[in-house]
Amino acid sequence: MKKKTTQKSNSNLTLILLGCFLVLMIISYFIIGWLLTVFLGVGILIIVGLARLLDKVKNKPKQKKILNIIIIVILSLGILVMLLGILFLTYVVIKAPKFDVNQLNEKEPSILYDIDGNEFERLGTEMREKVTYDELPEVLVDAIVATEDSRFFQHNGFDAPRFFKATLKQLLGDNSAGGASTLSMQVVKNSFTDASQDSGIKGIIRKFTDIYLAVFKLEKNYTKEEIIEFYVNNHYLGGNIYGVEEASQAYFNKSVGELNLSEATIIAGMFKNPGGYSPTLHPDNAAARRKTVLYLMRRHGYITEEEQKLANSIPVASLTKDASGNSTSNGVSPYQSYIDTVVKELDKKYNVNPYKTSLLIYTNMDRSKQEGINRVFNEESYKWVDDQIQSGVSVLDSQTGKLLAVGAGRNRSVGDYNFATDIKRQP
């Protein structure tokens, strides 16, 4: 009778523990996401399994000894991993760049000079026109949040479920998984860390540096609305354009506060790839990206299906025309071919980006020769058969080897393929 009572008691205890386990998993799912919940569940099951094994072999000294050794090895590895993790995080904190508020707001420009010592271009985020959160249209804020960081207003700067989900997918070879950077982490990356370090151990250190600065510096000192302001004002958006106000003026010839849903989703889509999704240079790509942004907005409840269909139905080309019927500016400098060549050389030789680091850059560009090439490429002094034909030109001083002018290609954006310097064969 006593044995049956004990068995019943054990059965009840098992059911209670199972119930507690399921409740813990449900709560964990809503707090840390399904991926971390799986790891937590597996960890608990391993611990329970080892405990049951120890109980079964308590009267078998040889098996108990082997099991104890296994447990000690597992615990030792766990402690070692934990210590290495602590050391890594300490290194990240020590090596993190100083959190300077001025870097969130403004930077000195990089200035380029021609062969005669005259300034011909300024580069950098200081060229942006800043807007406040209250000046942003709701559709643009909703589009950015839905596309870039759907839990922005809930997390503390680091979205753990999304981060580990993307990391797992990347480890499995899914290149479309994305980097899982929150808006706060992207603000940090744009202002403090080196975005070129995206691979290997340097990429891992940079990612955790972004997390540390986003959580413990940015989110601790600024409201969500202020972080949105930093994000929309210091983001590169094609050509020499920084920030949504300048982008709105350049692409749609209107202030950011006047953007409609279709226009707002085009700009929100450009944050991922400004050159590739430019509405003036690549309208088909911009339309495809807009479709994705609108889908995400409807999925997260910001717009209705009818609004989604209506915004998608508007041709991108019709939005980028001003009242006179001319295409609006795409923010590309008339000297962009030469500038891109200089930027690439600075990166290759000195590992520095003039768009982020303030530099005085003295070049050998001859304005008259550069403008002569531009007139040919823009069909002002030569008629091309069609817009598909490409060309690359470099003008050198035969006595000194100085690079005087560059024609990197026709109908291009900042950083596009350079037909004058990148091509490895004859046309």
Side-chain angles (χ1 to χ4, degrees):
M1 185 71 180
K2 186 177 180 181
K3 188 176 181 181
K4 288 184 178 181
T5 303
T6 302
Q7 289 177 342
K8 185 177 181 181
S9 177
N10 289 338
S11 178
N12 290 336
L13 180 61
T14 301
L15 289 173
I16 292 170
L17 291 174
L18 182 60
C20 291
F21 176 76
L22 292 174
V23 170
L24 177 63
M25 291 298 99
I26 292 170
I27 295 172
S28 174
Y29 171 77
F30 287 106
I31 295 176
I32 62 175
W34 70 268
L35 186 62
L36 290 180
T37 299
V38 170
F39 282 116
L40 178 62
V42 170
I44 292 173
L45 291 174
I46 289 172
I47 292 171
V48 171
L50 289 173
R52 293 290 298 273
L53 280 173
L54 278 172
D55 185 58
K56 285 184 178 181
V57 301
K58 62 183 179 181
N59 296 321
K60 301 175 181 179
K62 189 176 180 180
Q63 293 180 354
K64 186 178 180 180
K65 183 179 180 180
I66 294 172
L67 190 58
N68 282 333
I69 292 172
I70 293 172
I71 292 172
I72 290 170
V73 170
I74 292 172
L75 289 175
S76 298
L77 288 173
I79 292 170
L80 180 62
V81 169
M82 185 175 67
L83 288 174
L84 290 174
I86 292 171
L87 289 173
F88 174 76
L89 294 176
T90 302
Y91 175 83
V92 167
V93 172
I94 292 173
K95 291 293 184 179
K98 182 182 177 182
F99 189 81
D100 184 358
V101 177
N102 292 326
Q103 287 188 257
L104 290 170
N105 293 308
E106 60 183 40
K107 289 184 181 180
E108 290 296 317
S110 287
I111 304 175
L112 287 89
Y113 299 91
D114 62 19
I115 196 169
D116 297 317
N118 298 317
E119 177 186 328
F120 70 89
E121 192 64 67
R122 292 188 170 211
L123 307 177
T125 56
E126 84 299 334
M127 307 303 290
R128 63 196 172 192
E129 294 183 47
K130 299 175 188 175
V131 291
T132 65
Y133 184 83
D134 293 335
E135 293 175 303
L136 297 171
E138 186 177 351
V139 287
L140 179 60
V141 175
D142 292 344
I144 291 171
V145 172
T147 308
E148 298 292 329
D149 187 0
S150 62
R151 286 191 286 269
F152 172 70
F153 289 100
Q154 285 77 48
H155 62 62
N156 67 341
F158 174 56
D159 191 345
R162 181 173 168 228
F163 179 83
F164 287 109
K165 180 180 179 181
T167 301
L168 180 62
K169 284 186 175 182
Q170 288 174 349
L171 291 174
L172 294 174
D174 184 356
N175 294 325
S176 65
S181 292
T182 62
L183 291 184
S184 303
M185 289 168 64
Q186 290 184 55
V187 168
V188 166
K189 183 172 68 174
N190 289 338
S191 299
F192 297 104
T193 59
D194 187 357
S196 65
Q197 297 180 345
D198 263 335
S199 60
I201 186 64
K202 287 184 178 180
I204 295 171
I205 292 172
R206 186 193 63 74
K207 182 68 73 174
F208 278 89
T209 302
D210 290 347
I211 294 170
Y212 164 67
L213 291 176
V215 174
F216 295 101
K217 299 296 182 179
L218 188 64
E219 292 266 351
K220 291 289 185 183
N221 294 291
Y222 297 97
T223 64
K224 291 290 187 179
E225 289 74 18
E226 289 173 320
I227 293 170
I228 288 283
E229 286 183 21
F230 292 136
Y231 184 75
V232 300
N233 283 320
N234 73 3
H235 217 292
Y236 170 65
L237 290 171
N240 290 326
I241 299 168
Y242 279 85
V244 294
E245 175 62 25
E246 193 176 342
S248 181
Q249 295 284 359
Y251 297 120
F252 304 115
N253 200 31
K254 60 173 66 173
S255 176
V256 67
E258 300 171 334
L259 292 176
N260 60 39
L261 175 61
S262 189
E263 294 162 341
T265 49
I266 289 173
I267 288 183
M270 291 182 68
F271 281 86
K272 181 179 180 181
N273 182 353
Y277 295 127
S278 167
T280 51
L281 295 174
H282 306 289
D284 292 341
N285 292 350
R289 179 63 177 164
R290 177 182 63 183
K291 186 176 181 180
T292 299
V293 175
L294 287 165
Y295 162 76
L296 291 170
M297 289 185 74
R298 183 171 69 85
R299 176 182 169 186
H300 292 293
Y302 290 111
I303 59 173
T304 64
E305 185 176 356
E306 184 179 354
E307 290 172 318
Q308 177 188 7
K309 289 180 179 178
L310 180 61
N312 267 324
S313 68
I314 303 173
V316 171
S318 70
L319 296 171
T320 56
K321 301 288 185 181
D322 62 22
S324 63
N326 298 318
S327 292
T328 56
S329 167
N330 58 24
V332 176
S333 166
Y335 308 111
Q336 199 63 54
S337 290
Y338 201 99
I339 292 169
D340 284 349
T341 305
V342 170
V343 169
K344 186 172 182 179
E345 184 173 332
L346 285 168
D347 178 59
K348 183 178 180 180
K349 285 191 174 183
Y350 306 108
N351 193 30
V352 64
N353 183 350
Y355 284 100
K356 294 188 67 176
T357 303
S358 300
L359 303 171
L360 299 179
I361 307 167
Y362 295 88
T363 76
N364 293 307
M365 190 189 77
D366 184 319
R367 289 200 196 206
S368 62
K369 292 180 173 56
Q370 184 64 53
E371 289 167 0
I373 289 177
N374 291 348
R375 286 193 292 273
V376 172
F377 277 45
N378 295 335
E379 293 194 300
E380 294 176 30
S381 61
Y382 178 81
K383 180 65 178 176
W384 296 83
V385 175
D386 56 43
D387 289 338
Q388 302 303 313
I389 293 180
Q390 273 294 359
S391 179
V393 176
S394 60
V395 181
L396 301 176
D397 184 324
S398 60
Q399 299 298 317
T400 64
K402 293 178 179 179
L403 182 63
L404 305 178
V406 177
R410 302 176 60 225
N411 306 316
R412 64 191 299 278
S413 181
V414 178
D416 280 356
Y417 189 84
N418 192 323
F419 284 90
T421 61
D422 292 337
I423 197 167
K424 303 300 180 185
R425 55 180 174 79
Q426 291 295 328

